[in-house]
Amino acid sequence: MAAPLRKRKADGSRSSAGQYEQYVEGAIVRIKMENFMTYDMCEVFPGPHLNMIVGANGTGKSSIVCAICLGLAGKTSFIGRADKVGFYVKRGCQKGSVELELYRPSGNLIISREIQVSNNQSTWSINGKNASLKMVEEQVAALNVQVGNLCQFLPQDKVGEFAKLSKIELLEATEKSIGPPEMYNYHCELKNFRKNEKELEDSCKSKEEFLEKLKQRNERYKQDVERYYERKRHLDKIEMLEKKRPWVEYENVRLQHQEVKQIRDEMKAELKQKQVSQAPLNQKLQQYDKQHKQIDGRIKEKVVEIRETSQKCKQKQELLERKDKEIEEVEQKLRMRKDEELDRQKKIYNIRKMIEDWQNELKSIANQDSLQPEIDAIGRELRQIQDEKSNVESEMSDLRMEKQNLEREMRDKANRIQQFDNLLNLKQEKLRKRFADTHNAIVWLRENKEQFKKRVCLPIMLEINMKNHQHAKYVENHISMNDMRAFVFESQEDMDTFLKEVRDNRRLRVNAVCSPEEQFADKNPSKPISELQHYGFLSYLRELFDAPYPVMNYLVSQYMVHNVPVGTEQTRHMIERVIKETGLRQFYTAEERYAIRVSAYTNNVISSNTSLKPAQFLTVAVDPEEIRQAVEQYKEIERRCKSLEDRIGELISKQKMLDKKDNDLRLRKKEILDMKNKKRQLEQKISTKRDSLKQLEQENTNLEDAEQSSNRKIKEIHVQKKKIVMELTGLIKNCMLRNKEKVDLTLENMTVLWQKNKIESEYKEAMSRVKELQREFDAMEKKRLHLHELCNGLLSKARQACNLGQNDAFRTAFRLETLANLLSIQSNNDDCKAFHSLPDTLEEIDAVLNEERSRAACFTGLTSSVVEDYTKRTREIEDMTEELHRKKTELESFRQNILQVKEDWLTPLKQLVEKINEQFSSFFRSMQCVGEVDLHTENEEDYDKYGIRIRVKFRSSTQLHELTPHHQSGGERSVSTMLYLMAIQELNRCPFRVVDEINQGMDPVNERRVFEMVVNTACKETTSQYLFITPKLLQNLTYTDRMTVLFVYNGPYMLEPTKWNLKAFHRRRRRVAAVSQ
C-alpha cells in the first residue's frame, strides 16, 4: 500500500500524518482532478469535520461533487447529469482523471480513475496498482461509503428526489447510512423469512386441505370397492347367460328352418298342377280375339263412308246459310235507305227552326260601339299591372338568390365553427389522457368562475394557438411541461383561492402561475429579426403563436420568448458564425436548441445543444380571433336572412293583390268582348246553316225503285235455295243407311267381345292364382335360405361364445344336454352346475340377462382401478400426514427464528428512529415549526412495508403533513431534507456526507437557522466529515475552528495550484501594510 500523502495546511505547507487522527475512517483527505469538467488541474484538501465549499455559479463546485461520486465507483445516474462518463472530461481533451485519498488507520486508500473520451471507458488503480471496478467497489463498501444513498450523498440535481423517496426507500437509506452493519441485513433477512413463512403457511394449508380431500375421497371409494366386487358377481352371471343364449337361439331357428322347408315342398307341387290346367282356356281366348279384329276392321270402313257423306251435308247447309244472309243484306240495305230519308227530313226541319231562332236573336241585339273605350281602359290598366308584377317577380328572384347565397355562406360558417370546437375538444382530450388532475381542475374552474375577481386562463397548452403547427416543437421544447399545464392568474389572491380548493381540498396535482403586473408582453426584442435573417432566422418565438395577454406576459417575463429566434438548416450550417457574431444567448435551428453562456472568469463562450423532441400538444392550431370573427359573421348572416325573409313576405302579399286585380279586369274584358262578338257569330252561324239546308234539299231519294229492285234479288236467291235443299235430302238418306249398317256390325262385335272377356276373365283368375302360388313359393324359399344362413351364423357364434372348435356332432343335430357335457369337460363342476341352473328359453334368458345387466349398470364408473386407487390413496394419506407434520415443525422453527431476528432488528431500529425524531423535532422547534419522524407500517408482519415517515408543519394554522414532492414548497422541502440529514449526522456511521446547494430555495431566516444547526451538529468531535456546497453565504454567520472553508475561483488569471503559496501572500500583505503606514 502506498504511503499516504501529507495534508496541505491553510498556509500552503504540508502537515504531518499525525493530523489525520481527527478524520474518521473512510473520510476524504484529498481530491485531485485533471481535465475534469471545468478544471485543467486542481487538488482539494477537505477538513475532518464541516467543509463549506463556496463559489459563484459555474466556477466548479459541483465538479468536486461529481469527482467524489465517479472517483468512488459511483454511477453517472447518481449525479443526475450526463449519462456517459466521457461527458465529464473537459471539452477539447481526450482523457481526464480523478484521484481520491481516503483515510485509513492502517494506511490511506488512494483510488484513481482515468476516463477515455473515445471509447467512454475507465481505467482504475488502487494505491498505484491497476485494479478492476469490482475491486474498487469492494474497497469502498468496506469503508461504508455509499454514494448511491441520498442520506449520505445528495448532489445538486438529486435534491428534489430526496422528497420523492417513499417511506420504505427512506428507511432502507437510513439503515444503510446510520444503522449498525447488521441492521439492514436483519431487515433483508426478515423480509425473506416472512416470504418463506408465507410460502410455508400456504404450503401447510394446501397440504391440510389436500389431505382432508384424500381422506374424504378414500372414505367414499371404500364403498365403491365393495360395490365393485358385487358388480363382478353380476358380470360373471351375465357372461354365463351370454354363452348359453346363442345355443338356445340357434336351436329355435333350426326348428323354424325345418318347418319352412316342409311348407315350401307342398306349395311347389300345387303350383305345377295349376300350370297344366291353363292350356284350353288360352286356345279359346286366341280364337275370339281373331274374330273381334275382323269385325272391328269392317266398322272402321263404315265410319269413313259416314264421315265423307256428313262432310258433304255440312257443305250444303253452309251454302243455304250464305243464301239466307244474302236475303238479309238486301232487306237491310232497303231499310237503311228508308231511315236515311227520314233523317234528312228531320234535319231540314231542325235547321229551318234554328235559322228562325237565330234571326230573332240577331234582331234583339243592340248597338255595342259604346263598349270600346272601356275595353281600351282595361287594356291600359292590365299593362300597368303586368309591369308591376314583373318588377315584383324580378325583385323576389334577386332576393331569393341572395338568400340562397347567404344560407350557403351560413352553413359554411357553422361548419367552420364546428371544426374549431372539434379542435378545442381534441386538445382537451390530449390533456385529460396525460394530466387527469389538470383536466378535473379545468372542469371545476368552469363551474366556479364567479369566485375569482380577475381573469383566469386555462393551462398554457390550451391557451396557446400555433400559427403553423410545424413550429409547435420549438414552443414545447422551450416551455417546461410544468408550466405548459399551469393555470395563469392575474391576481395572487385568485391563485391562492384556486390552489387551496384544488390542491388542499380536492387533492389534485396541478400547477398555477401568476402573470406579473409589469407589462412584458409587448416588449421589443434586443435585435430586429431583419438583422438576423441572413443567418437563416425566420422569426422570434413570440411571433410563432397567439395567446391571451396574461399568458403572453408570463411567457415573455419567464422564458424571454420575444428574444429567442428560430432558424433553419442554414442556421445550423453557420452555427460558429451565429455564436460569435450575434451575441444570442439562446436560439433554435431546424432540429436543435442552442444555449450560449460566457464564463464570468475566462470570458470564454460555452455553448450546448440538445435535439428537439417532437411536439405532443400544440400541433392542433385554433385561432381565437378567427373563431370570434366566424361567430360574428354567422350572426350577421342570420340577421340578413331574417330581413330578406320579411321583404320576400311583403312582395308575396303584393303579388297576390296584383294577381287578384288582374283576374278581375280580365273577366270584365272577356264579358265585353263576348257581347261584341256575339252578333258576328250569329250571322256566321245563319249563313252556314242555310248552306247545309240547301245541300240537304238537293239530296232527294226514290224509295219505290229501290224497293222493287230488292224484291227481284230476293226471288232469285229463293230459287237457288230450293235446288240446294233437294241435294241435301239425298245425302241425308245415304248417311242414315250407312249408320244402320255400322250399328249392326257394332252389335255383332260386342257379342264376340263379351265371349272373349268371359274367357279372358277365367284365364286371368287362374293365372292370378298361379302367380300368387309362385310368389308364396319364392317367399318361402327365400325364408328357408335366410333361416339356413342364420342357423350357420348362430352356430358359429355359439361355438365362439363357448370357445368350441368344429365338431361333427353339431352338424346334424343339436341338444343342450350335449353342450352341457362338453362344458363339463372344459371347466369345473361348479360352472357346469351354474350352466344347468340357467333358463332354457330365450324369453327367460333375456329376462334374467336384463335383470342382471340392470343390477350391474347400477354400479357405474367402477373398474379394477378403483381398488388400485383405493390402495394407492391409503399410502398417499400416510405419506402426506407425515410430510404435513414435518412442514408444521419447520414452520414453527421458522417463526421462532423470525421472532428472534425481529427482536434484534426492530428494537434497535425503534431506538434509532426515536433518536432521529428527538433531533429532528428539536431542530424544528428551534425554528418555531413542528416536525416528527416515526416508524410507519400498516401490518407488523409485513416487514417489506416498514418505512420512515417525515411529517412537518411550517405554519401554526395548518396540520402536520407528510413530506411529499407536491404538498410543500421547494424551500420547505429543502429545509426538511437538510434537518433530517442533520438529525442523522450524530448517529452517522458513514465516513462523510455530501450536500450540494440545498439552501438555494430557503428564505434568509431559515437559511441562517439551518446553517447554525449544521455548524453545531457537524463540528462536534464525534461526527463524521461533512461537505456542504453552496454558491453564497449570508453575512455574520456563526463559524467555529473546526470548520474548513474552501473557496472555489475560476478565471484566466488564476495561478496554477502548484504555485499557490498562502504564506508568501501573507508576508507580501504585511509589507504592503507597513509601507502604507
Side-chain angles (χ1 to χ4, degrees):
M1 182 180 292
L5 296 175
R6 289 180 297 160
K7 180 181 175 184
R8 186 188 296 272
K9 292 184 178 179
D11 59 358
S13 61
R14 298 284 182 180
S15 62
S16 62
Q19 291 185 345
Y20 290 142
E21 294 176 356
Q22 297 183 13
Y23 288 86
V24 298
E25 186 176 4
I28 301 173
V29 177
R30 178 174 60 89
I31 307 169
K32 183 178 180 181
M33 298 164 284
E34 286 190 32
N35 297 329
F36 187 80
M37 294 184 72
T38 59
Y39 294 106
D40 291 330
M41 201 281 287
C42 181
E43 198 168 12
V44 181
F45 298 89
H49 299 293
L50 177 61
N51 292 270
M52 301 297 299
I53 302 177
V54 186
N57 288 329
T59 55
K61 303 183 303 302
S62 297
S63 300
I64 299 174
V65 177
C66 296
I68 295 172
C69 178
L70 297 179
L72 295 177
K75 298 179 181 178
T76 55
S77 59
F78 296 163
I79 305 171
R81 293 196 174 192
D83 56 347
K84 295 182 179 179
V85 71
F87 291 157
Y88 290 89
V89 177
K90 188 173 183 179
R91 191 169 184 178
C93 299
Q94 295 302 315
K95 65 179 180 178
S97 64
V98 176
E99 184 176 283
L100 274 85
E101 183 176 352
L102 306 180
Y103 171 70
R104 281 195 312 191
S106 60
N108 289 359
L109 177 67
I110 301 174
I111 300 173
S112 300
R113 180 177 189 174
E114 187 176 278
I115 303 170
Q116 302 291 335
V117 176
S118 58
N119 56 6
N120 201 46
Q121 298 294 322
S122 299
T123 304
W124 297 88
S125 67
I126 298 177
N127 294 332
K129 296 181 180 179
N130 291 335
S132 63
L133 174 61
K134 184 175 182 181
M135 295 170 62
V136 174
E137 290 175 344
E138 290 174 353
Q139 292 286 346
V140 170
L143 296 174
N144 198 31
V145 175
Q146 306 167 17
V147 290
N149 189 340
L150 294 182
C151 289
Q152 179 177 346
F153 192 85
L154 192 61
Q156 176 183 353
D157 296 317
K158 293 287 185 175
V159 172
E161 291 191 11
F162 186 86
K164 295 180 182 178
L165 287 177
S166 66
K167 296 186 285 290
I168 299 171
E169 293 171 336
L170 183 59
L171 173 61
E172 292 179 356
T174 304
E175 286 176 335
K176 294 176 183 178
S177 178
I178 64 173
E182 66 276 3
M183 179 177 286
Y184 180 70
N185 295 333
Y186 282 155
H187 192 182
C188 294
E189 286 180 13
L190 278 174
K191 288 190 283 188
N192 292 330
F193 282 162
R194 178 57 181 163
K195 181 180 178 183
N196 294 334
E197 181 188 11
K198 286 183 178 178
E199 291 177 356
L200 278 174
E201 287 176 350
D202 294 341
S203 177
C204 289
K205 185 177 179 180
S206 63
K207 287 184 182 302
E208 285 179 350
E209 293 176 354
F210 184 65
L211 181 61
E212 184 62 27
K213 289 180 180 177
L214 284 177
K215 289 180 178 179
Q216 293 176 1
R217 193 180 302 170
N218 226 29
E219 189 63 30
R220 290 197 304 269
Y221 285 179
K222 185 177 180 181
Q223 298 175 2
D224 292 342
V225 171
E226 296 173 355
R227 293 170 64 232
Y228 170 78
Y229 287 116
E230 185 177 353
R231 177 175 177 269
K232 192 171 184 305
R233 289 193 295 273
H234 290 296
L235 292 176
D236 291 342
K237 189 173 182 180
I238 290 171
E239 184 181 1
M240 190 67 71
L241 286 167
E242 287 177 345
K243 286 181 178 180
K244 186 171 183 179
R245 189 182 187 285
W247 291 105
V248 175
E249 189 175 5
Y250 166 73
E251 177 64 13
N252 292 339
V253 173
R254 188 181 65 81
L255 294 175
Q256 291 179 18
H257 175 265
Q258 292 178 352
E259 183 180 354
V260 168
K261 184 179 180 183
Q262 183 179 358
I263 295 171
R264 185 206 64 168
D265 294 340
E266 294 174 356
M267 293 176 67
K268 185 176 182 181
E270 184 181 1
L271 179 62
K272 188 175 182 181
Q273 183 181 359
K274 290 288 185 184
Q275 288 175 348
V276 172
S277 63
Q278 293 298 315
L281 289 175
N282 190 22
Q283 293 176 358
K284 287 184 179 180
L285 185 62
Q286 291 175 359
Q287 183 181 354
Y288 281 120
D289 186 53
K290 182 178 180 181
Q291 188 177 358
H292 165 69
K293 288 179 180 179
Q294 292 175 353
I295 295 171
D296 193 48
R298 292 171 62 191
I299 291 172
K300 288 180 180 179
E301 292 175 357
K302 295 298 179 182
V303 168
V304 171
E305 293 175 358
I306 291 169
R307 187 180 298 118
E308 291 175 354
T309 305
S310 298
Q311 185 66 28
K312 292 178 182 179
C313 290
K314 185 177 180 182
Q315 290 174 358
K316 296 299 180 180
Q317 287 177 349
E318 289 175 355
L319 185 59
L320 285 174
E321 289 175 357
R322 284 199 295 272
K323 294 302 178 181
D324 290 338
K325 287 182 179 179
E326 289 177 4
I327 294 171
E328 289 178 359
E329 287 175 359
V330 172
E331 291 175 348
Q332 180 68 23
K333 286 180 181 179
L334 180 60
R335 284 196 300 272
M336 288 175 64
R337 294 286 296 274
K338 291 179 179 179
D339 292 338
E340 287 174 358
E341 179 61 22
L342 184 60
D343 290 339
R344 188 179 69 83
Q345 294 296 331
K346 288 181 180 179
K347 286 180 181 179
I348 291 171
Y349 175 77
N350 290 333
I351 290 171
R352 287 175 179 173
K353 181 65 175 172
M354 288 172 66
I355 291 171
E356 185 179 354
D357 293 339
W358 286 342
Q359 286 176 345
N360 294 333
E361 186 177 358
L362 185 61
K363 291 177 182 179
S364 65
I365 294 175
N367 189 9
Q368 303 295 329
D369 295 337
S370 59
L371 296 176
Q372 189 60 40
E374 185 178 357
I375 293 173
D376 296 338
I378 290 172
R380 288 192 299 272
E381 193 170 354
L382 283 172
R383 285 191 296 274
Q384 184 179 357
I385 290 172
Q386 284 298 117
D387 293 340
E388 291 182 8
K389 286 176 66 177
S390 299
N391 293 335
V392 169
E393 289 177 356
S394 177
E395 185 176 358
M396 284 178 64
S397 176
D398 294 340
L399 291 175
R400 286 193 178 100
M401 187 175 296
E402 184 178 358
K403 183 183 175 185
Q404 291 176 357
N405 294 333
L406 287 174
E407 288 175 345
R408 184 164 52 252
E409 189 175 353
M410 188 163 64
R411 286 194 298 271
D412 294 340
K413 294 298 179 185
N415 292 335
R416 186 60 177 161
I417 293 170
Q418 184 63 37
Q419 291 176 359
F420 288 139
D421 292 341
N422 293 339
L423 292 175
L424 288 173
N425 293 335
L426 180 61
K427 291 178 72 175
Q428 292 190 19
E429 182 64 18
K430 285 185 177 181
L431 176 67
R432 184 188 66 79
K433 291 180 178 178
R434 181 75 180 274
F435 306 107
D437 286 356
T438 304
H439 182 269
N440 294 334
I442 292 173
V443 175
W444 179 87
L445 177 63
R446 287 174 174 167
E447 295 174 354
N448 299 272
K449 282 187 177 181
E450 67 281 354
Q451 296 187 21
F452 303 100
K453 298 177 181 178
K454 292 187 178 182
R455 182 176 181 180
V456 180
C457 295
L458 296 179
I460 292 177
M461 67 172 64
L462 296 182
E463 297 289 1
I464 286 179
N465 184 60
M466 299 303 302
K467 296 179 181 178
N468 186 341
H469 67 87
Q470 294 181 350
H471 296 152
K473 60 183 177 181
Y474 303 118
V475 179
E476 288 196 23
N477 280 272
H478 192 72
I479 303 172
S480 70
M481 186 52 64
N482 286 336
D483 278 350
M484 285 288 284
R485 60 190 181 95
F487 294 81
V488 182
F489 293 82
E490 289 187 329
S491 167
Q492 183 67 36
E493 183 181 353
D494 287 346
M495 188 174 77
D496 293 339
T497 302
F498 175 78
L499 292 178
K500 183 177 181 181
E501 173 63 29
V502 298
R503 275 190 182 174
D504 298 341
N505 297 343
R506 297 180 177 271
R507 304 290 182 183
L508 300 178
R509 297 172 61 181
V510 298
N511 292 340
V513 297
C514 187
S515 181
E517 296 181 359
E518 188 177 349
Q519 308 298 318
F520 289 102
D522 299 326
K523 193 174 180 180
N524 293 324
S526 59
K527 291 183 180 181
I529 193 64
S530 58
E531 296 182 8
L532 302 175
Q533 287 178 347
H534 63 280
Y535 295 107
F537 289 105
L538 300 175
S539 171
Y540 282 104
L541 206 57
R542 180 176 61 184
E543 278 66 44
L544 298 181
F545 64 90
D546 295 322
Y549 187 84
V551 176
M552 186 65 78
N553 201 43
Y554 175 77
L555 295 178
V556 171
S557 65
Q558 293 295 321
Y559 291 95
M560 306 294 288
V561 294
H562 70 294
N563 218 22
V564 178
V566 176
T568 60
E569 283 296 319
Q570 179 186 351
T571 311
R572 190 175 68 82
H573 295 316
M574 303 172 63
I575 193 65
E576 296 293 338
R577 286 186 56 196
V578 172
I579 294 173
K580 290 179 181 179
E581 298 175 4
T582 61
L584 295 172
R585 291 292 175 264
Q586 194 173 181
F587 59 87
Y588 290 87
T589 63
E591 297 296 336
E592 292 178 323
R593 174 182 180 179
Y594 284 83
I596 314 297
R597 65 183 180 89
V598 180
S599 174
Y601 304 98
T602 63
N603 288 328
N604 290 337
V605 176
I606 302 172
S607 66
S608 62
N609 64 301
T610 56
S611 298
L612 298 181
K613 298 177 181 178
Q616 299 180 12
F617 298 99
L618 300 182
T619 53
V620 180
V622 182
D623 190 353
E625 181 62 24
E626 188 177 354
I627 295 176
R628 186 187 62 77
Q629 290 179 2
V631 173
E632 291 179 355
Q633 291 172 0
Y634 181 82
K635 292 180 179 178
E636 176 62 21
I637 294 170
E638 194 174 24
R639 185 189 62 76
R640 289 173 61 190
C641 283
K642 183 67 170 61
S643 175
L644 289 175
E645 288 176 357
D646 296 341
R647 177 59 182 158
I648 290 172
E650 294 174 0
L651 292 175
I652 290 173
S653 300
K654 185 176 180 181
Q655 189 182 40
K656 289 180 180 179
M657 182 189 70
L658 292 174
D659 288 341
K660 184 176 182 304
K661 190 174 180 181
D662 182 81
N663 291 334
D664 294 342
L665 290 173
R666 289 184 183 279
L667 288 173
R668 177 58 184 161
K669 184 177 179 181
K670 185 175 182 302
E671 291 176 359
I672 295 172
L673 291 175
D674 289 344
M675 292 174 62
K676 186 175 181 181
N677 295 329
K678 192 172 184 180
K679 181 179 180 181
R680 186 170 57 253
Q681 291 174 356
L682 287 174
E683 290 174 350
Q684 290 177 354
K685 288 180 179 179
I686 291 170
S687 175
T688 302
K689 290 299 179 182
R690 281 177 177 171
D691 293 339
S692 299
L693 179 62
K694 186 177 181 181
Q695 185 177 359
L696 287 172
E697 288 176 346
Q698 291 175 356
E699 293 176 357
N700 190 8
T701 302
N702 190 349
L703 292 177
E704 292 180 358
D705 293 343
E707 188 173 356
Q708 290 176 0
S709 176
S710 297
N711 290 333
R712 284 195 300 272
K713 290 180 180 180
I714 291 171
K715 192 173 183 180
E716 291 175 357
I717 293 171
H718 280 305
V719 172
Q720 295 174 2
K721 280 179 67 179
K722 182 179 179 181
K723 183 179 179 182
I724 293 169
V725 169
M726 291 176 66
E727 293 175 355
L728 178 60
T729 303
L731 290 172
I732 291 171
K733 289 179 179 180
N734 189 14
C735 184
M736 288 177 66
L737 182 61
R738 299 287 185 274
N739 278 322
K740 183 176 180 298
E741 293 174 354
K742 175 190 171 185
V743 169
D744 293 340
L745 289 172
T746 302
L747 290 174
E748 184 180 356
N749 189 33
M750 287 178 66
T751 303
V752 173
L753 189 61
W754 177 79
Q755 294 292 337
K756 177 189 171 185
N757 289 337
K758 181 180 178 183
I759 300 299
E760 189 176 21
S761 177
E762 293 176 359
Y763 180 78
K764 285 181 178 180
E765 184 178 354
M767 286 302 297
S768 176
R769 178 57 184 162
V770 170
K771 288 180 181 179
E772 184 178 354
L773 286 173
Q774 184 66 43
R775 283 195 299 271
E776 290 176 358
F777 172 79
D778 293 340
M780 197 59 64
E781 178 65 15
K782 186 177 180 181
K783 185 176 180 181
R784 185 193 68 79
L785 294 173
H786 172 69
L787 289 173
H788 182 72
E789 292 176 0
L790 188 59
C791 282
N792 292 334
L794 289 174
L795 180 60
S796 176
K797 184 178 178 182
R799 284 178 177 144
Q800 186 178 1
C802 293
N803 296 324
L804 297 176
Q806 295 295 331
N807 196 326
D808 294 336
F810 288 91
R811 294 181 182 176
T812 56
F814 169 76
R815 293 291 183 271
L816 289 176
E817 293 78 3
T818 308
L819 175 62
N821 294 332
L822 287 172
L823 287 175
S824 64
I825 296 171
Q826 293 184 358
S827 60
N828 56 38
N829 292 329
D830 292 338
D831 291 341
C832 185
K833 292 177 181 179
F835 192 88
H836 278 293
S837 65
L838 296 177
D840 293 331
T841 63
L842 282 177
E843 291 77 8
E844 293 175 348
I845 289 175
D846 289 339
V848 176
L849 193 58
N850 290 332
E851 181 181 356
E852 293 299 325
R853 283 174 178 168
S854 299
R855 289 179 179 179
C858 294
F859 304 97
T860 57
L862 298 176
T863 61
S864 59
S865 61
V866 173
V867 180
E868 296 174 2
D869 290 344
Y870 179 80
T871 307
K872 182 180 177 183
R873 201 171 292 110
T874 303
R875 289 195 300 270
E876 286 182 2
I877 290 172
E878 294 173 356
D879 296 341
M880 187 65 68
T881 304
E882 183 179 350
E883 185 179 358
L884 181 60
H885 177 70
R886 182 176 55 79
K887 288 283 185 182
K888 286 184 176 179
T889 305
E890 185 180 354
L891 178 61
E892 188 62 30
S893 175
F894 232 102
R895 287 172 177 168
Q896 293 298 326
N897 292 337
I898 289 174
L899 289 176
Q900 182 61 43
V901 176
K902 180 181 179 182
E903 182 67 23
D904 295 340
W905 170 73
L906 191 57
T907 302
L909 178 61
K910 288 182 177 179
Q911 295 172 356
L912 184 64
V913 173
E914 185 61 32
K915 291 177 182 179
I916 297 172
N917 182 46
E918 290 176 4
Q919 292 289 336
F920 190 75
S921 301
S922 174
F923 291 149
F924 263 84
R925 282 196 300 272
S926 66
M927 297 176 62
Q928 287 79 47
C929 300
V930 180
E932 290 182 0
V933 175
D934 60 357
L935 187 65
H936 180 266
T937 185
E938 296 178 357
N939 184 1
E940 287 190 4
E941 303 301 325
D942 291 336
Y943 302 108
D944 55 343
K945 301 293 178 62
Y946 275 80
I948 289 180
R949 179 174 59 179
I950 301 176
R951 297 191 297 167
V952 295
K953 181 175 76 171
F954 288 89
R955 288 171 289 279
S956 58
S957 59
T958 61
Q959 300 293 327
L960 278 170
H961 287 287
E962 187 174 345
L963 182 66
T964 64
H966 314 293
H967 195 278
Q968 290 80 17
S969 65
E972 291 170 349
R973 292 197 299 271
S974 297
V975 170
S976 303
T977 302
M978 195 67 193
L979 294 184
Y980 183 81
L981 295 178
M982 289 166 48
I984 65 176
Q985 175 69 19
E986 293 185 358
L987 307 172
N988 196 7
R989 65 181 184 86
C990 60
F992 64 86
R993 178 174 285 108
V994 178
V995 179
D996 189 3
E997 296 191 17
I998 199 171
N999 59 333
Q1000 285 299 93
M1002 300 182 191
D1003 58 83
V1005 176
N1006 285 335
E1007 185 176 355
R1008 185 177 296 276
R1009 291 175 179 173
V1010 169
F1011 185 82
E1012 291 177 358
M1013 295 177 192
V1014 170
V1015 171
N1016 294 334
T1017 304
C1019 291
K1020 293 180 180 180
E1021 187 174 356
T1022 58
T1023 58
S1024 58
Q1025 191 179 43
Y1026 202 105
L1027 286 84
F1028 189 91
I1029 293 91
T1030 178
K1032 46 92 177 176
L1033 286 174
L1034 300 176
Q1035 295 181 355
N1036 302 320
L1037 294 174
T1038 302
Y1039 299 95
T1040 68
D1041 293 338
R1042 294 182 184 276
M1043 288 176 58
T1044 301
V1045 181
L1046 301 172
F1047 293 99
V1048 181
Y1049 294 99
N1050 203 345
Y1053 305 107
M1054 289 292 296
L1055 288 174
E1056 295 180 9
T1058 56
K1059 298 180 181 179
W1060 184 272
N1061 191 333
L1062 188 59
K1063 187 179 290 186
F1065 296 158
H1066 287 172
R1067 287 197 303 270
R1068 192 178 303 156
R1069 180 61 184 167
R1070 284 195 293 270
R1071 286 198 301 270
V1072 171
V1075 171
S1076 62
Q1077 290 177 357

